[in-house]
Structure formats: structure tokens, C-alpha cells
Amino acid sequence: MRKLFAMTALLALAGSALAADPACKTNFKQEGKFMTGRTFTTWDVVTGVSVSTAYKRIYAEGTKSGLRVASSDEKAGVISFEQPNGGVDLSGAKATLPWNVVIEPQGKNVKITVTKTTPGGFSTSTDFQITSMCAVIDAGR
């Protein structure tokens, strides 16, 4: 009976660990307002990857997905992307959205921070921002 109880407890713990949100989702922050513009930021630590490797992976995936590289510095671990025609604001003007990626060494790991800004009146969902920004971090894995 004790073994059955222990197994049940372990399975419950494993299930809750699997159900936990990824760090890039829990680290997500939004600042600003719809009418004045918003800044979205998230980060995560990627284990067992160097700055150079994460940089190259994110650079390649970003350009393959249609982002334009505005500037980059592999040594500094910084990539500034632009998302051309990322949507429209309330006046109907097309918006080019800036994405900034910073990759910092953390021992044998890297901390990847992604920041994206939208202009005032730009409609977007929080879930979409989390998903797309976490995808950038996942590309570094």
C-alpha cells in the first residue's frame, strides 16, 4: 500500500512539473499601453550552449522566418531584427516592428533576452507575443 501511495505521489509531482509554464512564459513582461505603444520582454537560460552557437542559430532562424537583420554583433551577442509589415496600427499604417535579442554567457549556459516594441494603436495578443518570443529563445537551443 505504501508503494502504491508513493508511486501515486511521484506521478502527481511529475504531472505538475510537466504542466508548469516554461521560463520564457513566466519571465514575460509587458510595459506601456495600447494607445501609446508597448514593450514586450522575456528571457530564459539555455543550457549547454555557447553564445556563438545560440547567436548563429537565432540569426539563421530569424532570417528564415522573414525577419530582417538591422544590426548584429556576434562577439557582443546582440541581434537587432526588424519585422517588416508586422501589421497595422489604428490609422491603417503598416508597422515595422523592432526585435532585440541579447545573448549573455552564464557559465556553460546562455541567458537569452528578447525585447519587442509595438507602436501606439497596434493590436496584438499577449499569447502571440509570448509564443513568438519564446520561439526565438527556442531557436537558440
Side-chain angles (χ1 to χ4, degrees):
M1 186 68 162
R2 278 189 197 181
K3 287 183 182 180
L4 179 62
F5 179 72
M7 290 288 284
T8 304
L10 286 174
L11 287 173
L13 287 173
S16 65
L18 291 175
D21 287 333
C24 67
K25 187 172 183 177
T26 58
N27 294 331
F28 179 82
K29 290 189 178 25
Q30 176 181 320
E31 296 176 341
K33 302 201 186 277
F34 173 75
M35 292 306 292
T36 58
R38 292 175 283 183
T39 300
F40 306 95
T41 304
T42 192
W43 63 273
D44 196 357
V45 173
V46 177
T47 59
V49 176
S50 68
V51 170
S52 179
T53 298
Y55 174 92
K56 289 173 184 170
R57 290 174 179 170
I58 293 169
Y59 191 103
E61 284 301 315
T63 55
K64 279 195 273 186
S65 67
L67 298 177
R68 224 179 8 219
V69 177
S71 64
S72 64
D73 185 337
E74 182 176 350
K75 196 171 193 175
V78 176
I79 308 170
S80 293
F81 290 110
E82 291 179 340
Q83 181 181 351
N85 300 319
V88 294
D89 63 16
L90 286 177
S91 67
K94 289 183 180 179
T96 296
L97 307 176
W99 295 60
N100 294 301
V101 181
V102 178
I103 307 160
E104 303 170 278
Q106 300 276 302
K108 293 184 180 186
N109 308 316
V110 293
K111 177 182 178 186
I112 301 173
T113 304
V114 181
T115 304
K116 182 179 182 182
T117 57
T118 58
F122 185 85
S123 183
T124 186
S125 73
T126 300
D127 285 341
F128 175 77
Q129 294 306 321
I130 291 169
T131 301
S132 62
M133 295 170 76
C134 287
V136 172
I137 294 169
D138 288 339
R141 294 186 201 284

